[in-house]
Each structure stands twice: as structure tokens, then as C-alpha cells.
Amino acid sequence: MPAFSFTIEAECSQSWARAGTVLTPHGAIPTPIFMPVGTQATVKSVSPEELRAAGAAIILANTYHLMLRPGSQLIHEFGGLHEFMRWDGPILTDSGGFQVFSLGHLRKLSEEGAAFKSHLDGSPHTLTPESVMRIEYELGADIILPLDICAPYPSSPWEARAAMERTHRWAERALAAKEGYNPEQTLFGIVQGAFEPELRRESARFVGNLPFPGLSIGGLSVGEPKETMWELLRCTTPELPREKPRHLLGVGSPEDLVIGVGLGMDMFDCVLPTRVARHGGLFTRAGRINIKGARFRSARGPIEEDCDCYTCRTYSAAYVHHLARTEEQLYYRLGTIHNLRFMLRLAAELRASIIAGTYPAFRDEFLARYTPASEQVREVQREKWKAARAHRA
Amino acid sequence: MPAFSFTIEAECSQSWARAGTVLTPHGAIPTPIFMPVGTQATVKSVSPEELRAAGAAIILANTYHLMLRPGSQLIHEFGGLHEFMRWDGPILTDSGGFQVFSLGHLRKLSEEGAAFKSHLDGSPHTLTPESVMRIEYELGADIILPLDICAPYPSSPWEARAAMERTHRWAERALAAKEGYNPEQTLFGIVQGAFEPELRRESARFVGNLPFPGLSIGGLSVGEPKETMWELLRCTTPELPREKPRHLLGVGSPEDLVIGVGLGMDMFDCVLPTRVARHGGLFTRAGRINIKGARFRSARGPIEEDCDCYTCRTYSAAYVHHLARTEEQLYYRLGTIHNLRFMLRLAAELRASIIAGTYPAFRDEFLARYTPASEQVREVQREKWKAARAHRA
């Protein structure tokens, strides 16, 4: 049995949506799928059992944070991330590149790789395409990503091309280095190209033709308008090989998931659902609500009437409101469980609609009903989070 | 069936320890028992299911905090605390007096009661022995406490007597007011007397003779040396009626539990086990450890080898260390579960030793092996917590 496979079970005739199954050594992943982010070897505030109960099929962990603390070697000595954090399902690790590039003056980039200083203690480190393969081998995730360069928004066409071409050279170095490590791990390629449609097409063709069993689309959702992101995806997808699963890196609000699926994406990860939950923002079919709002003070029903999550099955919205207002730790858990379940149910419904041939109607209905956070709210959040992003994303 | 009963199943022949069972409308409580504190209608960071799994038989909630937020009337409209927080076991509420008296310049004391300003929004409130009965009726706990006056340490003999006598008058007013409310709730009396052995005896006799089905010993562990507290208990217990359960208010480190049982106490509550857990202090039979310490960085075993809590059954000490060092929310839960389970197992073992007639040996062995936090560490913590205590205790 190969360590990794992807089979497509249904394709939408009116969009690029597809339903499939990714097989990994730690289990099957039905796609489309949302992947909760467990930055420091824990999805903030929830246990592995709660992740399972919410329907999580795969989670993501961050190489940058884990290499610094507790260190990839220590995790390796404990049998890898699965054993260390007691999550026996599939795991994906990023390359650490995104966080390192966000460090600004703390890092120095060259053809060899990226030298940087730890945000924790200032200690010097270097990431190269080769060292990242070693670190991710030690972490032991099922799916791993190569070091890439995420160009900032905005970037000049010249910067964008330079970053893309270096990313391509690093992709080839990563593939060569990966040979020496665990064949049970699967290395995805990363498509870049910043905000230039032509570069996105070129990168999709180049990386898509390398022997990567799956592809991640990087460098999006870094500050550009949403419409720009979708436009760039529209240029990218047609150039990607059909048979490889496609992961849209760092993207994953409810509406992004619904739209992204139609643009041919299979896998999504984002801290947004868990992060906004901790700030009181909870997802419902009608849109994002703020559970701290006075209207929930005496709300007898659950957060959402037909939600089957632990929070909604157990507690009134009034109690969740009380916990959120008093900043009780149980709130963070209850809010996180609700939003994760929302995302995972949404992914399952998207999959079912693709199989049933009704994805376009599902998408249109969802978007008509769902009120996302307004652009203004989003902007405030973006600014708030930007500073923290490099270190905590 | 009466709403409340206490039966003594065994008594130690060489100490005042006894093993019994308290019956309440929400279930039986084997004594001696430790009661986890759920100040704001939640035991910080753990769910009701986790409390049950840790062996909790009864929890405590704080009237002061709940009357201000979300308000006792709202909780009443939701069917009381049990329904609101989804804990179907017994609950005890304090009177709010302790927190109000800790408010300092924000409160004004008279024979009628205590007028104070909310620490949240400065809004004016009054607690009287009568209004506290109404508020605790609305909260709906199984065991409720009357408004009392906790004299500060140190207090002059004159202050101490004045506080005690007023507490006694308030006790009689509370008993009269209680008549109008729910007979399913049981009102305990509170023994005061500050740091004067003679006053402690007098209060024990006075309150012990009033028709309270149970008694709480108040005003201890408020800054006096431990030995003073034990000496005062030695004066108090012989004056208490044998057949009423005795609750030592706000006391509950592991060593306090072991010693307090021998001085005739049946019920204990304290934020200490959950609070120190959140700061990294975890209990083991050998004493309190600091899980953030470097020696746990690569510790493969659980926090304590023979502990049967969820944390120890599931995770290595190294992983718990990692979560604590990175201040991950899951840590607070895992540490809290461990310390609660430790306290509840300890209570169960104390009970078993009393029934087996081996309590004195168990006590001596435990105390010989267990290293509590040093007096110096304790002092630093006390200072740190003092400021926060009024508002968060």
C-alpha cells in the first residue's frame, strides 16, 4: 500500500469543485476538508478527543513554533507529533517559512535559505530547503511542506518573480533532500507567484509538473482584497494537474471554504475559526454572531438551533454568553468547539452537495444566507492580528 | 424523605476524624470531601463531565460574583444554577459576605447589612441576612450559607467580639428569613470568633445550638499562621454538636485536608488546588511540583506514576510541561484536572482510612512524605493573590 493516495469520487459539472479521499498512514481524509490549526502541538483550548468529536479528520501544526519549542528533536524522541500530542489522525506541518518571513528585521534571506533570530530568546537559526526536510521528518507529520517564499502584498512584479523562481529552486532541493527521509511522509509542492496572474499560471505549471503528490497554494490571504485572491485562483486551478489534491494555505472562513471549493480547492486551513471564537465570534448559518452581545444574555436556546456540537447540545446561549463575558476559560473551549464543528459540517455538506450534483445551488444558497464579518470589522481584526501574526499565526 | 441528612459511618478513636454521608436533593456526598470552587458558575477551565470524571461529589459557587453577573434572577429564570451550568450534582453557595468585606473602601457595614459598590461597574448593592436568603434561593444551591462577618487578621478582641455577635444576630435573622423559601435547600450556620479561642468556643456553642442542619467554620485561613488556625480549630470542634456536618470554609491544600480531618472537619473548599494548577503547581504524593521546571522537559512518564486522572492517563509530563511553558489553554485544563483528582482521591483515601481505623497512620505517613510549598513560596503567592482576592476569590 502506498503511504499516500488521492482519489476523486465526484466532480461538479458547473464549477471546478470535486469530492475525493486523501489516504494517509494515519487515516483517510474526505475532501473538501477544513483542517484545524494546532500551532504549538495543540489546537488552542480543545483536546484530541474533542477534535475527533467535532469531526476533525486532519490537523495542522506549525514547524516554526515547534522547532523552537519544544524542539523537533525532542518531539522525534517522543515518537513524533502524533505520540507527543496524542492525536492519532493525520497531521500536516507547514515549512516554517511563512512565520520566518514575517519576522521582518529578525531574518536574512539568501539563496541558501533564511537565517533568523528566535522571537523567544533571540537565538540564531537557519532554515534551508534541506534542514526543513530534516525538521519535518523529526516532527513526523503525514503531509509536509517545503520551504517557500511568500512575497508580501503588495510586491513589485520583479520581487514577485524573484520570490517565485527561488521558491521553484527550493522545491527541487526539497524533493532531493526528502529522498533521505521517511517515505511514509508525503511532500506537497507550494505554488507561488504573488499577485501576478501570469506568474501564478507559470508557478502552477512548474510546481504541478514536479513529482509532488499534492499541491499547496501559498502566498494568498496576506492582505490583498478577497476578489484579488479569487481572481488569482481562477488563473491557477486550470494549470494544476487534476489528479493531485489542492490545499489552499491559510484560507478558511466559512464563505472562503464555500467559494474556494468551487474554484477547485480540496483542503483548507486557517486559524480564523478558532481565533474569532476566542474573541466571541461564532458562526451560524445566518452569519457570524458576537456571543458577548446583550441579545444573548437570556437566550434560552443553543447558539444555533440545529447544531449538533457539544456546546449546542449541552448549554444555553445565555450560559455561553455568561462565560464569554466573564472571560472564563471554559468559554474558549465551548466557542472553539462550536466553530470547528461548524466548519467541519460545512465541509461535509459541501462534499455531499458535490456528490449529489447540487454544489452550485448549495453555494449560492449559503452565500445568500450567510452574513460574513463586514469588511470594516475584518479590517480592524486584520490590523490587530498583523502584529501578532509573525509569532503566533 | 428529608431534603438533607447526615449520617456518621465511622469515627476515629485517636482523633476527631469521622467518615459520613451527606444526603442532598442532588445526591449523596461521602465525607470527608473536597469541594471544587466554581466561582462564576464554572470551575475554571473544566467541564461538568470532567468534574464528574475527577470524582467531584459537590461543588461550590460564589454568591457575590453571580449576583452581579449574570444576576441571581436570571439564573432563577433558567431553573437555578444546576440547570444553568449543567451540573446535576450537589452545589453549595457561600453568602457573598467574604467577598463584600474584602472590598474595603467600596463597602459600608451596619447592623442592617452591608452596602457596597460592584467591582464591575460601581453600581450600588446591599446585602442583608434577608436579601442573601432570597438571592441564594434564586441561585438554588442544595446547601446555602448566611451572611456573616469575617474579621480581618489581626483584629482587636473588641472588634472580634463585635463581629461575632453581629454574625450571631444575622444567623437568627437568616434562619427566620429562610422559612419563606425553598425547604429543599439547607442553610448551614457559620461559626466565627476571629483569633480568640474563647470567642471561637462561644460561637461554636451559640451557632451549634441554633437549628442549622450543618455548620461552616468561617474566618480562618485569612492570613494567620497555620498553627494558629489549627489551634483555633482545636478549641472549636469539641463545642460543636457531633451529629451536624462541619465545613471548614476556604481551606483546602492537601496537607490542610489531611490535618483538618483529624480535627473533626467533614467538608473543605478552596480555590488553591485549581489556582496553583493554573500557575504550574501540581500535586504529587511527594509534594507540590512545578511542571514548568526544566526537569520535566523530556519526562516520558505521567505527572505522577499511579495517578488515574485523565491527564496522567493520556499525556506525558513532557507534553504537559510544553503546554504550560507555551501558556496553551489546554494546559490549564490538564493541570486543573490533575489537582482536582488528587484532592478527591485524597479525600476518598482519608475516608477509607477512617473506616479502616487507620487514619492516624495515614495522616502521619502522608505528612512525612508530602512536601508542601515552602512558607516563602506561600508568602509570595499570598501577596500576589491578596489584591485579586476580593474580586476573584
Side-chain angles (χ1 to χ4, degrees):
Chain A
M1 262 237 336
F4 184 90
S5 72
F6 180 56
T7 49
I8 295 172
E9 280 127 34
E11 286 175 293
C12 175
S13 59
Q14 298 158 70
S15 75
W16 297 335
R18 62 256 192 101
T21 301
V22 172
L23 269 182
T24 78
H26 286 87
I29 306 156
T31 65
I33 192 70
F34 173 77
M35 305 186 277
V37 179
T39 298
Q40 305 194 101
T42 170
V43 175
K44 288 193 191 309
S45 84
V46 295
S47 70
E49 294 84 355
E50 286 160 348
L51 283 172
R52 276 279 182 222
I58 171 171
I59 62 170
L60 193 140
N62 287 109
T63 292
Y64 171 80
H65 293 85
L66 294 173
M67 68 179 279
L68 296 181
R69 197 167 54 179
S72 56
Q73 246 182 318
L74 183 118
I75 289 176
H76 186 56
E77 283 161 24
F78 273 75
L81 269 175
H82 296 89
E83 269 303 310
F84 187 60
M85 68 180 291
R86 309 300 290 163
W87 165 259
D88 61 3
I91 301 178
L92 183 153
T93 44
D94 64 2
S95 68
F98 180 77
Q99 276 84 17
V100 167
F101 298 124
S102 311
L103 286 176
H105 69 286
L106 291 175
R107 52 92 180 155
K108 208 177 154 180
L109 200 56
S110 71
E111 184 63 23
E112 176 60 15
F116 67 95
K117 287 189 175 150
S118 160
H119 73 281
L120 296 172
D121 60 5
S123 60
H125 298 264
T126 304
L127 285 184
T128 66
E130 292 79 14
S131 74
V132 163
M133 286 302 97
R134 179 184 51 76
I135 294 167
E136 292 193 86
Y137 158 70
E138 288 171 342
L139 294 175
D142 300 84
I143 300 173
I144 63 178
L145 301 188
L147 192 64
D148 65 328
I149 297 174
C150 178
Y153 178 81
S155 285
S156 70
W158 179 86
E159 281 180 300
R161 171 162 289 281
M164 180 194 78
E165 289 183 347
R166 187 172 274 171
T167 290
H168 292 175
R169 290 190 296 274
W170 285 2
E172 291 175 315
R173 282 168 58 187
L175 276 168
K178 167 72 169 67
E179 288 295 307
Y181 296 111
N182 186 353
E184 297 276 298
Q185 293 183 291
T186 298
L187 179 63
F188 275 29
I190 300 184
V191 173
Q192 286 288 354
F195 313 97
E196 308 293 327
E198 199 37 62
L199 293 184
R200 284 275 160 191
R201 284 190 201 96
E202 186 179 332
S203 188
R205 282 191 299 268
F206 183 90
V207 181
N209 281 325
L210 291 175
F212 292 114
L215 299 164
S216 296
I217 318 301
L220 296 177
S221 200
V222 295
E224 79 281 9
K226 280 256 164 134
E227 203 31 67
T228 303
M229 174 169 87
W230 299 134
E231 197 44 50
L232 291 165
L233 264 194
R234 277 183 210 107
C235 304
T236 305
T237 301
E239 308 294 333
L240 297 173
R242 171 184 172 276
E243 72 280 5
K244 294 182 182 184
R246 303 155 182 166
H247 165 210
L248 185 52
L249 254 167
V251 176
S253 69
E255 66 275 21
D256 290 349
L257 198 65
V258 171
I259 297 168
V261 161
L263 295 175
M265 296 298 114
D266 305 302
M267 304 164 78
F268 300 80
D269 79 272
C270 193
V271 294
L272 183 124
T274 42
R275 183 179 282 162
V276 299
R278 297 197 302 276
H279 289 82
L282 300 182
F283 300 147
T284 75
R285 286 308 158 113
R288 196 204 286 186
I289 59 142
N290 180 0
I291 192 66
K292 295 183 183 176
R295 69 181 170 114
F296 294 107
R297 187 174 177 274
S298 57
R300 286 180 181 276
I303 296 159
E304 181 156 44
E305 209 48 69
D306 75 338
C307 177
D308 64 357
C309 83
Y310 165 73
T311 305
C312 287
R313 281 187 288 107
T314 313
Y315 304 98
S316 63
Y319 183 65
V320 179
H321 165 89
H322 166 67
L323 295 179
R325 289 282 288 233
T326 52
E327 294 174 16
E328 279 287 350
Q329 293 181 352
L330 186 58
Y331 166 69
Y332 302 104
R333 181 185 349 176
L334 298 186
T336 299
I337 286 173
H338 175 79
N339 274 7
L340 285 180
R341 181 70 194 134
F342 184 93
M343 295 303 294
L344 289 157
R345 270 178 96 190
L346 180 56
E349 286 169 3
L350 282 163
R351 182 179 153 83
S353 78
I354 297 164
I355 292 169
T358 57
Y359 163 74
F362 179 89
R363 175 193 60 204
D364 296 346
E365 224 167 278
F366 181 90
L367 295 176
R369 205 173 146 195
Y370 187 86
T371 312
S374 72
E375 198 52 46
Q376 206 185 353
V377 169
R378 213 196 295 279
E379 187 54 37
V380 171
Q381 284 175 343
R382 202 158 23 216
E383 289 308 314
K384 256 196 208 166
W385 295 344
K386 231 176 197 170
R389 198 167 195 175
H391 302 168
R392 294 191 215 145
Chain B
M1 269 252 312
F4 184 89
S5 72
F6 178 56
T7 49
I8 295 172
E9 281 127 33
E11 285 174 292
C12 176
S13 59
Q14 298 159 70
S15 75
W16 299 334
R18 60 255 192 101
T21 301
V22 171
L23 270 182
T24 77
H26 286 86
I29 306 157
T31 66
I33 193 70
F34 173 77
M35 306 187 277
V37 179
T39 298
Q40 305 195 100
T42 170
V43 176
K44 291 194 190 305
S45 84
V46 294
S47 70
E49 293 84 355
E50 285 160 349
L51 283 172
R52 276 279 181 220
I58 171 172
I59 63 170
L60 193 140
N62 287 108
T63 292
Y64 171 80
H65 294 85
L66 293 173
M67 69 179 278
L68 296 181
R69 196 167 54 177
S72 55
Q73 247 183 317
L74 182 118
I75 289 176
H76 187 56
E77 284 161 23
F78 273 76
L81 269 176
H82 296 90
E83 268 301 310
F84 187 59
M85 68 181 289
R86 311 298 291 163
W87 164 258
D88 60 5
I91 301 178
L92 184 153
T93 45
D94 65 2
S95 70
F98 181 77
Q99 276 84 19
V100 168
F101 299 123
S102 311
L103 286 175
H105 68 284
L106 291 174
R107 52 94 178 152
K108 208 176 156 179
L109 200 55
S110 70
E111 184 63 24
E112 176 58 16
F116 67 95
K117 289 190 173 148
S118 159
H119 73 280
L120 295 173
D121 59 7
S123 58
H125 299 264
T126 304
L127 285 185
T128 67
E130 292 78 14
S131 74
V132 163
M133 286 302 96
R134 178 184 51 74
I135 294 167
E136 291 193 87
Y137 158 70
E138 289 171 342
L139 295 176
D142 300 84
I143 300 173
I144 62 178
L145 300 188
L147 192 64
D148 65 329
I149 298 174
C150 178
Y153 178 82
S155 285
S156 71
W158 180 88
E159 280 180 301
R161 171 161 291 280
M164 180 194 77
E165 290 182 347
R166 189 171 272 171
T167 292
H168 292 175
R169 291 191 295 274
W170 285 3
E172 291 175 315
R173 281 169 59 187
L175 275 167
K178 167 73 170 64
E179 288 296 307
Y181 297 111
N182 187 352
E184 296 277 299
Q185 293 183 291
T186 298
L187 179 63
F188 274 28
I190 301 184
V191 173
Q192 286 287 355
F195 313 97
E196 308 293 327
E198 201 37 62
L199 293 184
R200 284 276 159 190
R201 285 189 201 97
E202 184 178 335
S203 189
R205 282 192 299 268
F206 183 91
V207 181
N209 281 325
L210 290 174
F212 292 114
L215 298 163
S216 297
I217 318 301
L220 296 178
S221 199
V222 295
E224 79 282 8
K226 281 256 163 133
E227 203 31 65
T228 303
M229 174 169 88
W230 300 133
E231 197 43 52
L232 291 164
L233 263 193
R234 278 184 209 108
C235 303
T236 305
T237 301
E239 308 294 333
L240 298 173
R242 172 183 173 275
E243 71 280 5
K244 295 181 181 183
R246 303 154 183 169
H247 164 211
L248 186 52
L249 254 166
V251 176
S253 68
E255 66 275 22
D256 289 349
L257 198 66
V258 171
I259 297 169
V261 160
L263 295 175
M265 297 296 115
D266 306 302
M267 303 164 77
F268 300 80
D269 79 271
C270 194
V271 294
L272 182 124
T274 41
R275 184 178 283 162
V276 298
R278 298 197 301 277
H279 289 81
L282 300 183
F283 301 147
T284 75
R285 286 306 158 114
R288 196 203 284 185
I289 58 143
N290 179 0
I291 192 65
K292 294 182 183 175
R295 68 181 170 115
F296 295 107
R297 187 173 178 272
S298 56
R300 286 179 181 275
I303 296 159
E304 181 155 45
E305 208 48 69
D306 74 338
C307 177
D308 63 356
C309 82
Y310 165 73
T311 305
C312 286
R313 281 187 289 107
T314 313
Y315 304 97
S316 63
Y319 183 64
V320 180
H321 165 89
H322 166 67
L323 294 179
R325 290 282 289 234
T326 52
E327 295 174 18
E328 279 287 350
Q329 292 180 354
L330 186 58
Y331 167 69
Y332 302 104
R333 181 183 353 172
L334 298 186
T336 299
I337 286 174
H338 175 79
N339 274 8
L340 285 180
R341 181 69 193 133
F342 184 93
M343 294 303 295
L344 289 157
R345 271 178 94 191
L346 181 56
E349 287 168 4
L350 282 163
R351 181 178 153 83
S353 79
I354 297 164
I355 291 169
T358 58
Y359 163 74
F362 179 89
R363 175 193 60 202
D364 297 346
E365 223 167 279
F366 182 90
L367 296 176
R369 203 171 148 197
Y370 187 86
T371 312
S374 72
E375 199 51 47
Q376 206 186 354
V377 168
R378 214 196 295 278
E379 188 53 38
V380 171
Q381 282 175 346
R382 202 159 21 216
E383 289 308 313
K384 255 196 205 165
W385 295 344
K386 233 177 195 170
R389 198 167 197 177
H391 302 167
R392 295 192 213 142

